[in-house]
């Protein structure tokens, strides 16, 4: 099977024009072409983040962006409240601990989103303002949960703490309004909903976050955001940037603008709705609670008596579709289906058809076609009986 379509939640299937952009000849990263390229990317990224503040391009994966956010904003002796809802929220907390930042966890059962009332109550109880920062995951890729950010942002603003947000697997797939929400440092990465290969993190920084960073004394070098900002002002990056990824990102942002942000969001929602309908039609259980479901990754419980890894292997080897499995304590328990990247409605239907074939072959007692029919109906909207 040579052709593979990625339905993992990143990296994603990359559109032809984006891939082709990576074949452009190399340029001087300290020359006028890169300066223009960087400015073009930043200009197009700002509305995607919903900000007029700086957006910095870092030559690293998403985790580098998270580490940059944490180490530039906080140091030993400061406390942050982290509200993880899965693997990547825990990673953000781990980064904080690694750098000596004190961590308090606002715990949430996996599969659920952050309880806005619980966050509000915790922040209201912090009358001495010991909590200096609140750390959120917008879209938790390991569980298929997407936190509605508005209510969470309201209580953080009311408290006054700085906010760090991981939207690595969320940005560009639904509306993101950094400035309106009042977030301080927001992290994204190239290989997710923007549909670019891995290699670049994008970090947006609010005006007041720049002031805060000046007071943080903890060591940083490669991921020094203030240095990145100084170089960006002259159209450069401190170290050699991933130029080919920059070319690809610039084209991906043109495709995003051409399709239109609201159409891009609707596409992610529609493909997710079809996958959810498939699961419900086939009697499968979704992992994330209703109202908190991600539009970029859908997590489905592996039904009893079925080996999820075996199903995924068959899909990959015999059908050319690559799906995600569960991470850490969810290994073997869920299948995760991503909807980011250059995939069409036809691709989604074909993948779901193959998934249904393999579930039936594995002996699952469902009526043949029950999942796919539901997906077709979801795509078509209301149709005459
Ligand atoms: N946060 C989230 C929500 C993610 O989905 C990922 C990647 N799956 C990361 C952080 C880490 O990004 P990277 O693998 O690019 O370092």
């Amino acid at each position: 099977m040579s052709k593979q379509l990625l339905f993992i939640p990143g990296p994603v299937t990359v559109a032809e024009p984006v891939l082709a952009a990576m074949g452009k000849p190399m340029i001087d990263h300290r020359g006028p072409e890169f300066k223009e390229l960087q400015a073009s990317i930043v200009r197009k990224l700002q509305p995607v983040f919903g900000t007029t503040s700086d957006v910095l391009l870092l030559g690293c994966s998403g985790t580098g962006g998270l580490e940059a956010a944490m180490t530039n904003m906080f140091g030993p002796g400061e406390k942050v409240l982290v509200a993880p809802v899965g693997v990547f929220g825990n990673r953000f907390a781990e980064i904080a601990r690694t750098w000596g930042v004190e961590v308090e966890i606002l715990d949430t059962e996996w599969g659920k989103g952050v309880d806005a009332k619980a966050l509000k109550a915790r922040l209201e109880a912090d009358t001495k303002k010991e909590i200096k920062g609140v750390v959120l995951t917008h879209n938790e890729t390991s569980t298929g949960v997407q936190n509605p950010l508005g209510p969470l942002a309201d209580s953080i603003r009311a408290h006054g703490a700085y906010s760090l947000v991981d939207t690595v697997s969320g940005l560009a797939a639904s509306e993101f309004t950094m400035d309106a929400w009042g977030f301080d440092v927001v992290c994204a990465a190239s290989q997710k909903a923007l549909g670019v290969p891995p290699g670049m993190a994008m970090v947006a920084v609010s005006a007041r976050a720049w002031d805060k960073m000046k007071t943080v004394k903890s060591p940083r070098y490669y991921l020094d955001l203030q240095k990145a900002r100084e170089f960006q002002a002259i159209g450069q990056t401190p170290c050699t940037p991933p130029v080919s990824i920059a070319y690809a990102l610039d084209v991906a942002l043109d495709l995003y603008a051409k399709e239109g942000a609201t159409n891009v969001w609707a596409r992610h929602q529609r493909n997710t709705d079809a996958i959810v309908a498939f699961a419900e039609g086939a009697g499968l259980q979704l992992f994330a609670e209703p109202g908190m479901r991600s539009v970029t990754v859908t997590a489905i419980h592996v039904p009893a008596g079925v080996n999820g890894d075996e199903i995924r292997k068959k899909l990959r080897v015999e059908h050319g579709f690559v799906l995600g499995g569960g991470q850490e304590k969810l290994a073997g328990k869920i299948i995760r289906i991503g909807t980011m990247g250059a995939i069409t409605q036809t691709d989604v239907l074909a993948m779901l058809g193959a998934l249904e074939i393999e579930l039936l072959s594995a002996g699952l007692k469902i009526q043949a076609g029950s999942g796919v029919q539901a997906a077709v109906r979801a795509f078509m909207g209301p149709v005459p009986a």
Side-chain angles (χ1 to χ4, degrees):
M1 174 59 64
S2 56
K3 194 177 129 197
Q4 274 196 345
L5 269 183
L6 298 181
F7 278 93
I8 50 174
V12 300
T13 300
V14 177
E16 270 305 317
V18 178
L19 274 183
M22 294 190 58
K24 284 192 194 172
M26 204 36 54
I27 51 171
D28 175 9
H29 67 294
R30 308 225 178 268
E33 295 93 348
F34 185 78
K35 181 177 184 176
E36 204 175 297
L37 179 61
Q38 190 182 46
S40 164
I41 292 170
V42 170
R43 198 170 51 243
K44 293 170 199 167
L45 269 178
Q46 282 171 323
V48 183
F49 278 88
T51 189
T52 54
S53 292
D54 296 286
V55 179
L56 301 169
L57 310 181
L58 307 179
C60 58
S61 80
T63 306
L66 304 186
E67 185 154 318
M70 188 60 72
T71 58
N72 283 265
M73 284 295 284
F74 302 107
E78 291 185 294
K79 174 159 131 178
V80 293
L81 178 66
V82 186
V85 295
V87 169
F88 293 102
N90 284 345
R91 180 180 294 187
F92 221 160
E94 205 47 42
I95 291 170
R97 289 189 199 102
T98 302
W99 289 88
V101 178
E102 193 189 328
V103 172
E104 178 180 327
I105 298 285
L106 182 76
D107 212 7
T108 300
E109 191 188 329
W110 286 20
K112 296 191 184 320
V114 175
D115 178 351
K117 287 201 198 90
L119 180 68
K120 185 166 187 269
R122 179 63 193 95
L123 290 175
E124 281 175 357
D126 181 40
T127 49
K128 291 191 188 141
K129 306 285 180 201
E130 284 166 351
I131 296 170
K132 302 297 175 213
V134 179
V135 180
L136 299 174
T137 313
H138 174 212
N139 189 83
E140 179 48 69
T141 324
S142 66
T143 60
V145 163
Q146 189 165 311
N147 284 309
L149 291 175
L152 306 180
D154 288 346
S155 38
I156 300 171
R157 277 198 318 277
H159 174 279
Y162 294 95
S163 46
L164 308 190
V165 182
D166 169 354
T167 184
V168 167
S169 64
L171 190 83
S174 60
E175 187 170 27
F176 199 96
T177 55
M178 173 176 168
D179 289 355
W181 286 328
F183 290 139
D184 292 299
V185 187
V186 176
C187 307
S190 55
Q191 79 276 18
K192 304 283 183 175
L194 286 165
V196 175
M200 195 183 278
M202 293 87 81
V203 179
V205 182
S206 76
R208 71 176 202 139
W210 287 123
D211 292 337
K212 167 73 169 86
M213 280 182 210
K214 286 187 201 132
T215 71
V216 179
K217 296 282 175 280
S218 50
R220 46 205 185 243
Y221 190 85
Y222 186 70
L223 295 173
D224 185 337
L225 291 177
Q226 290 171 99
K227 207 193 300 168
R229 187 191 199 197
E230 283 161 26
F231 275 80
Q232 187 155 296
I234 56 163
Q236 295 183 20
T237 50
C239 307
T240 314
V243 175
S244 306
I245 298 293
Y247 271 136
L249 178 56
D250 194 44
V251 171
L253 287 163
D254 286 340
L255 294 182
Y256 180 87
K258 193 169 165 208
E259 186 175 351
T262 52
N263 293 327
V264 174
W265 306 336
R267 166 164 56 80
H268 285 89
Q269 186 69 60
R270 204 164 46 244
N271 287 338
T272 298
D273 287 348
I275 294 165
V276 167
F278 168 92
E280 287 171 345
L284 307 174
Q285 303 298 315
L286 292 152
F287 186 71
E289 65 174 330
M292 296 284 181
R293 288 186 188 145
S294 163
V295 296
T296 61
V297 53
T298 302
I300 302 172
H301 278 282
V302 173
V306 170
N307 181 331
D309 290 342
E310 199 51 42
I311 298 270
R312 287 196 304 117
K313 185 173 171 198
K314 290 215 158 148
L315 280 169
R316 178 169 51 81
V317 175
E318 293 175 21
H319 303 272
F321 295 115
V322 190
L323 275 61
Q327 295 169 285
E328 297 184 2
K329 64 186 180 190
L330 294 175
K333 300 202 170 119
I334 57 169
I335 288 178
R336 294 177 305 141
I337 308 180
T339 50
M340 296 174 282
I343 48 163
T344 64
Q345 176 176 299
T346 310
D347 296 331
V348 173
L349 284 172
M351 178 275 296
L352 293 175
L355 177 57
E356 188 157 338
I357 287 171
E358 292 307 334
L359 287 170
L360 287 161
S361 305
L364 191 67
K365 297 277 173 281
I366 53 171
Q367 203 189 337
S370 55
V372 170
Q373 267 189 39
V376 169
R377 267 193 235 106
F379 273 133
M380 293 190 69
V383 283

